[in-house]
Amino acid sequence: MAKPSTNSAPPAAKQSFDSLEQEVFLNLWRTYDRVKSLEDEVFAAVSLSAQQYNALRLLKSVYPNAMPTLVLGGRLISRAPDMTRLLDRLEKRGLLVRERRAENRRVVEVRITDEGRSLLNQIHDAVQQSHQKQFGHMSKKALCQLADLLRQARQPHEDADNLSFVDQ
Amino acid sequence: MAKPSTNSAPPAAKQSFDSLEQEVFLNLWRTYDRVKSLEDEVFAAVSLSAQQYNALRLLKSVYPNAMPTLVLGGRLISRAPDMTRLLDRLEKRGLLVRERRAENRRVVEVRITDEGRSLLNQIHDAVQQSHQKQFGHMSKKALCQLADLLRQARQPHEDADNLSFVDQ
DNA sequence: CGAAAATACTTGTTGAAACAACTGTCGTCA
DNA sequence: TGACGACAGTTGTTTCAACAAGTATTTTCG
């Protein structure tokens, strides 16, 4: 263990975990960080954040229908406390449109545009390739196991809403 | 937050994945997000970010020695392109000190202060409890398996440096 | 030696999170 | 019907992250 490190001073500060649970969390964090950066390269090429891409992806999945802002926010992979401005930026680029309907002027319906869908199509292959780069070295069995353990890990932390994601 | 929402509409938009690899990534992302928020509550109570806590944790691990800025940056769980200002904030709060030594005036040595260590001690238990809350519901075996699969997943994406974290 | 490259940070600027406070709209029930 | 609370977004402010460009300080090497 512990890769002695040819580093002069640092005595290879043994990564000592306070608990197994902490070890899992730090592993989760680091793996997420490393793997995310691969995907981010693809998004950066078209000036999107992962979160923006995700919003568009969800909008595309209900196309040609629209989606209330709050519902969209609730379905994003990671929570976003600032839907308004996230949508502002995408709307300004013409990737989606917002409209209020007379029947309930409180809700803002969001719909992806043709440009939006076209942008998604344009990067679709590159995104898939980045996923391959992320996990292509693992066996199908290991991947299923990992997905399963991840679901299991967050299961008690899901709120009643977004269960749609958990099952499946 | 809470779980209001007897959401009328959501037909549980079947989460269709383009590939197994994508499914794993989205699961990783969501699990990270959910689980991170639990830990963040603890840090928020003392106005620290997870990244700041991590830097302090590393500095404590080499105490009473100091660490060059760049080495510290390289050992953080998630990469930080802006070490300077991260350290600025912690230094301003008296949690660490920086010093340049005559032998090489380029490198800035960073050392945790007594206040810094005291702050870490102060929240140590709460941090451990949050880890329990995160993963306490999983068996030891499942946790080991998860940690192992996570290491396996990022292994090809680690750069030569931070291997110290991988093995172990 | 002395220019040029490499090293280790700093600074500037821009964009995006986070939290709180606020506005407009709708349902409800006395 | 009309006040009140719930709902759905918006705006303001502060803080943080990311990328680029700049400043010192060694090291290298012709």
Side-chain angles (χ1 to χ4, degrees), chain B residues 48-73:
Chain B
L48 280 182
S49 69
Q51 191 73 298
Q52 289 175 332
Y53 170 77
N54 213 247
L56 289 176
R57 203 178 60 93
L58 283 169
L59 288 174
K60 185 185 171 200
S61 79
V62 299
Y63 182 85
N65 290 106
M67 221 179 191
T69 300
L70 223 67
V71 173
L72 177 57

Side-chain angles (χ1 to χ4, degrees), chain A residues 68-71 82 84-85 98 100 106-108:
Chain A
T69 300
L70 224 66
V71 173
D82 194 4
T84 300
R85 271 172 288 219
R98 287 191 275 192
R100 279 177 200 267
R106 278 177 303 184
V107 332
V108 173

